[in-house]
Structures are given as structure tokens and as C-alpha cells.
Amino acid sequence: MDTDSFDSLPEVLQELYINMQDDLYDGLKDEVADATTEALEQWGQTPGQILQRGLVAGMDIVGQDFRDGILFVPEVLLAAKAMKGAMEILRPLLTDAKDVQRQGTVVIGTVKGDIHDIGKNLVGMMLEGAGFEVINLGINVDAEQFLAALREYNADILGMSALLTTTMPYMRTVIQRLNEEGMREQTVVLVGGAPLTEAFAEDIGADRYCEDAAVAVEAAKVFMEMKKRDS
Amino acid sequence: MTDRLLDLLQRKGLLLGDGAMGTMLQRAGLTDGGSPELWNVDHADAVRAIYQGYADAGSDIITTNTFGGTRYRLKLHHLQGRVFELNQAGAALAREVAGDERLVAGSMGPTGELMEPLGPLTIAEAAAAFAEQVAGLAAGGADFLLVETMSSLDEVQAAVEGARQASTLPVVVTMTFDTNYRTMMGVTPAQAVQTLHSWGVTVIGANCGNGPAEIERIMWEMAQARPEGAVLMAQSNAGLPRWHEGEISYDGTPEVMAGYAQRMRALGVQVIGACCGSTPEHLAAMRRALDGPPLMGYEPAFAADASAPQSAPAGDGAARRAARRAQRTAE
Ligand code: B12
């Protein structure tokens, strides 16, 4: 979060955001949605600002406390649901928001055999917030589904998630299929999920391992710039 | 119905479980993310060979290759119509290998769905899915049911109910405490052993998660809280997974696992086995350790160190959130 600009906001608005973060932390879906609407309508905040100052900042605290063992999965899930509710309000506005540039198209999914989707959905929402069009294929996605979606949406980036040591090797299979179909060149491949490492990503021939959603957004932007320069 | 598990426990005092199935199947060529349970039918020889490896290593229990055998997990592979068949086949193969001296544990893993209110699954629906799996396991000749790697008590409740709907086999439950010595859902070892015992489950423990050091701490906590009559069980991973030269391997050697088995016995754990990354070599080393003399003067380091991080007592999430909020306001 850009703290300088946060501190210069009117105090009442700062409070609105802090409450939004707290409510997100508590998984209060309706309250978070209401605060989102209020920030939009009464304070003229842009979707990008609300996303950064309220939702992402709140999710950061949730993530920290989850890692520290203060929160457990039930709480994280409720917070993610609350964020999703707010995203549903913001999504239609993001498309024409001034502060969000159209970036590119991302196909994202959790690989075959794996049903973990909290992290992947967060990454998807953050990419949307940053101006990407995100095609979220859900969980248990096989290579052919990834390929079909990349073609259908003429996507720039493929994002794959795996949280299990038993499913992460499947990413290699997907990349091999991209190679076979001659699609690897034009597709940037980002991979993520807790058990992955940089070395693993390199080994399977991905472009980048992203340890969290912020890194994923940065990486996606950088690759889009490179892509635009190249063409 | 006689409880063959408790009979054997009484006779032997201590039972050696077996080791990994999933990582062994990967070694045997299951690398495409396919269904392990389908191998009970399509690659029966490979599954039988893994069972046999553990039998030869000295395991008293052979655990069936049916961890993902509920319709919810099989659905990921479009196999939800074959629940009975695949579970029965997995159990029947194990029965063949186990013979009369060893027991067959019918493995039942989580559905992978979230329970209400976090997710869509009700206890009744989950119980029905487990009952369907149990029917196959019982028909294939399982001696008891092993509900394992659980993180939610609601789902355990469903599994126990389902098991009782479909059979009279004894139910053993192990949960996975991988998140700061709690399950993903926040259940502590003490809470698990007490709650499960109150539901009439006798053998209770921990499996999977992180490595033997964590399991030691978890079993110590369980032992402290163990109600009279509860029997403890532990199945640790063989260390932690490492990605090494294009392959995943676990860093726990057979010697490490032998030491772990010794410490489990010293803690009073009576059913001792292993989980991910373990192989028949690990189990053979554990067998030798358990056939030898017990550890003398074992005192876990953390037992003396009162400041060591212990699972916080089970509190409700609201209290933790309030504390967090108060702290933040103070900042
Ligand atoms: C929540 C959870 C579950 C939930 C999932 C709910 C859901 N809808 O997703 C439930 C209870 C269903 C579950 C089930 C299982 N789980 Co689980 N689960 C977890 C847990 C606790 C948290 C994962 C999570 O959501 N983290 C929070 C998010 C925000 O973080 P994240 O996923 O890492 O994502 C971030 C980054 O990795 C990155 N990222 C992630 N994806 C992507 C993708 C791209 C493209 C990019 C760029 C970046 C990126 O950005 C994200 C945001 O910052 C982890 C333990 C842990 N602490 O990680 C175990 C864990 C992943 N589970 C584990 C296991 C074993 C299982 C089960 C197999 C249990 C079982 N025995 O049945 C099943 C899996 C079934 C299956 N086939 O998939 C193990 C995996 C062990 C291993 N290394 O293989 C873990 C590590 C726990 C453990 N220590 O044992 N699980």
C-alpha cells in the first residue's frame, strides 16, 4: 500500500478503509460490500484505490496472521469470500476505470488432481484489479483445457497453481503440450503455490515462479511490457 | 464383531504400521496426476508389490490404496461411479498379501470438499459418501477402517457416522497437524484425542503433515491429554519433501525413521507407522528399532522447556480476532 497517500486521506475515509480491512479480516461479507459501495459512491474512490487501500491491505494482514498461526483456514476462507463479494461490485467498473490500464489476458487454473484454489483465486482477483482480463478455469484443470482456453481467449499469460508435491509435476506436462502445439513462444508461463520453488519453475521450463500475488502482478506487468516492446 | 486390531494390540503390545502409498505409486510410474485408486484394477501387480514390500519389511498392518476412494475424490478422475469396485479391489489385494497374521486397514482420506458453512458439503452428504466407500472396503476384507489425514472434526464425524452406517468394523482416526501444530482447520492434538474418544473411537493419532520432529511434539501433546483407554497412533512422513534434480525426494533416512519409532514408543504410542516419502527400507529400519530395546531416559526437549511453542488452547476464532484488533488499535 502507498502509505503516504493513505495518510493524506481525510480521516473519515481512512477510518472507512481500516474498518473495511477489519471486516474483511472478520470475514463479514455484507459489511465489506457495503463499505465498498460507500467508498465508491460517497467518496468517489476508484476501484483500483479500493482494491489496494481496503481489500488487498486487509488480505495482507489475513495472510500474515495465517502464516503466524493466529488464523486458520476457516477464517482465511471467510475473508476470501468477503473479498470476492467486493470484487463482484468492482469488476464491472474495473473495465472502464481510468486508473487501471487494460493489460492483457491471463488464463489461470489449479492443475489436474489439485483442488486448492484460495491462493490462485487471490492471484486472479489481484490481476483483475491490476487491469488484466482473467479467465479463471477453476480447479483440477488438465492440459487440454488450459490449451483450449489459451486459444479461445487469445491469452498472453498462462498461470498455473499447485499446492501438492504430487500435482506440481503436472505443470511440466502442460508446458510440454504448449511446446508440442507450438504455443510456448507466445505464452508467458507463471507458476505458483506453496511447495514450488524457483529451481522447480526453471526445471520445468516456466518463465517465472511467483511466491505471492503481489509478485505475480509485478511479473505479469513486466512480461506484458516486454511483449509489447517485442511486437 | 471381534476387534482384530485391539486383539492384536493386546497380544503384541505394539504394532508397526506401514509406509507411503502415494509416493511409492509415483515411483512406480503414476506421474500423470491420475487416480491412484484406479491402479487397484489397472495395475494390480504394482499395488500388490507395494503391499508386499511392507509385509516383507515387517509391518503388522497393510493399508489399502483407497485414500481418495470417496465419490468426491474419484470425481476428479470421472470415476465416481466406481466407488465400490475400486475400494473393494484395493482391500482384496491387501487381504491377499496380509494373510492371517497381518491386519488390513481400509484407508479413508478426506473428501477434499469443504464442510458447511465454509463449503457446500453437509455432514449427512459426506457420511453417505464415506458409507459408500466403506461398503467396498468391508467387502474386500478390511479388518478396520483408517480415517486419515483429516483436518476438520466435522468431516471426521461424517466419516465415523458413514463407517457405522455401512459396517461394524472398528474405526481408527488420525488427523494432520500441519499448521503450527494444529490441523488446517485449527484443531489441536488435545482437542482431537478428547473429542474423538468421546465419539467412541479408541485408536487416535496423527499422520502426514510435516516431519518426525513435528509429529513428536504433536504426539507428546496428545499423550498429555489422552483419556483413559485411548490408544495412540502415529504415522510420520519420512522427513520433508525436497525438489532435487528433477525429482521430489524426502530427506528422512531409514535411520531417522528408526529414531522416530523409538521416540514414539517412549511416548507410549502403540501403533507406529510412516507416511509420505517412506519406503519398505524405512519400515524395515523401524521394525529393527522396535524389536530392539526401548530408549532409556527419553525426555523430549520441549517437555522441560515451558516456553516452547505449544498449540495454543483451543479458543474460538472470534477471541483471536478481537485480540488482533485490540493489538492493531494499540499500534
Ligand atoms: C487451505 C488448504 C486446504 C483446503 C483447500 C481449500 C481451497 N478451496 O483451496 C482443503 C481443506 C480442501 C485442503 C485439502 C487438501 N490438502 Co491442503 N492445504 C491448505 C493449506 C492449509 C493452505 C493453502 C492456502 O490456501 N494458503 C493460502 C494461500 C493464500 O496461499 P497459497 O495457496 O500459497 O497462494 C499464494 C502463493 O502460493 C501464490 N500462488 C498460488 N497459486 C498461484 C498461481 C499463480 C499462477 C501464481 C503466479 C501465484 C500463485 O500466490 C498466492 C497468494 O499470495 C495448506 C498449508 C499451507 N500452509 O500452505 C495445505 C496443504 C497445501 N494441503 C496439503 C494436503 C496434503 C492436502 C490434501 C491432500 C489433504 C488430504 N490428505 O486429503 C487435500 C488435497 C486434495 C487435493 N487433491 O487437492 C499439504 C500439501 C503437502 C504437499 N506438499 O504435498 C499442505 C501443504 C499442508 C501440509 N503441510 O501438509 N487443503
Side-chain angles (χ1 to χ4, degrees), chain A:
Chain A
M1 182 172 47
D2 186 346
T3 34
D4 282 347
S5 70
F6 190 81
D7 287 343
S8 61
L9 296 177
E11 209 154 300
V12 198
L13 182 55
Q14 286 189 24
E15 210 160 286
L16 176 79
Y17 276 129
I18 304 246
N19 274 331
M20 191 192 289
Q21 292 170 19
D22 277 344
D23 288 341
L24 186 81
Y25 189 92
D26 285 356
L28 303 174
K29 193 172 180 213
D30 294 344
E31 282 79 349
V32 173
D34 289 347
T36 302
T37 311
E38 191 181 330
L40 278 171
E41 289 175 2
Q42 316 212 346
W43 292 94
Q45 295 286 293
T46 65
Q49 286 166 336
I50 297 173
L51 195 77
Q52 285 306 317
R53 292 171 175 165
L55 304 175
V56 172
M59 260 344 255
D60 276 351
I61 306 172
V62 172
Q64 260 165 35
D65 279 6
F66 176 68
R67 272 190 297 278
D68 291 349
I70 296 169
L71 296 185
F72 292 87
V73 170
E75 292 95 341
V76 177
L77 274 171
L78 290 176
K81 274 193 185 173
M83 172 149 180
K84 200 171 160 212
M87 279 307 292
E88 269 149 31
I89 301 173
L90 297 180
R91 186 172 298 121
L93 306 172
L94 281 166
T95 336
D96 38 45
K98 289 189 290 299
D99 62 334
V100 185
Q101 273 178 15
R102 289 318 294 150
Q103 290 275 3
T105 302
V106 184
V107 165
I108 192 168
T110 301
V111 299
K112 184 172 159 190
D114 203 320
I115 59 174
H116 292 87
D117 65 358
I118 302 172
K120 180 231 9 160
N121 289 345
L122 276 180
V123 171
M125 287 193 279
M126 302 274 282
L127 285 169
E128 277 184 334
F132 285 88
E133 185 176 350
V134 175
I135 315 299
N136 190 335
L137 300 181
I139 56 173
N140 191 33
V141 181
D142 70 23
E144 301 319 308
Q145 290 168 289
F146 276 124
L147 263 54
L150 286 169
R151 287 200 184 97
E152 181 179 346
Y153 296 96
N154 193 18
D156 307 289
I157 299 177
L158 168 63
M160 289 188 281
S161 184
L163 269 283
L164 298 172
T165 42
T166 49
T167 53
M168 53 195 259
Y170 190 73
M171 292 178 165
R172 187 199 299 276
T173 309
V174 178
I175 293 175
Q176 273 164 1
R177 288 289 298 134
L178 283 178
N179 280 327
E180 285 164 19
E181 298 293 313
M183 294 164 69
R184 182 67 189 89
E185 287 284 287
Q186 77 256 30
T187 314
V188 171
V189 180
L190 304 182
V191 295
L196 271 65
T197 60
E198 195 105 43
F200 171 78
E202 199 171 307
D203 190 66
I204 63 167
D207 291 302
R208 180 77 200 268
Y209 157 71
C210 305
E211 67 234 41
D212 61 29
V215 173
V217 170
E218 271 323 299
K221 282 184 180 164
V222 168
F223 280 114
M224 284 315 294
E225 261 159 43
M226 281 164 51
K227 200 164 173 174
K228 278 177 197 140
R229 250 201 328 255
D230 289 351
S231 60

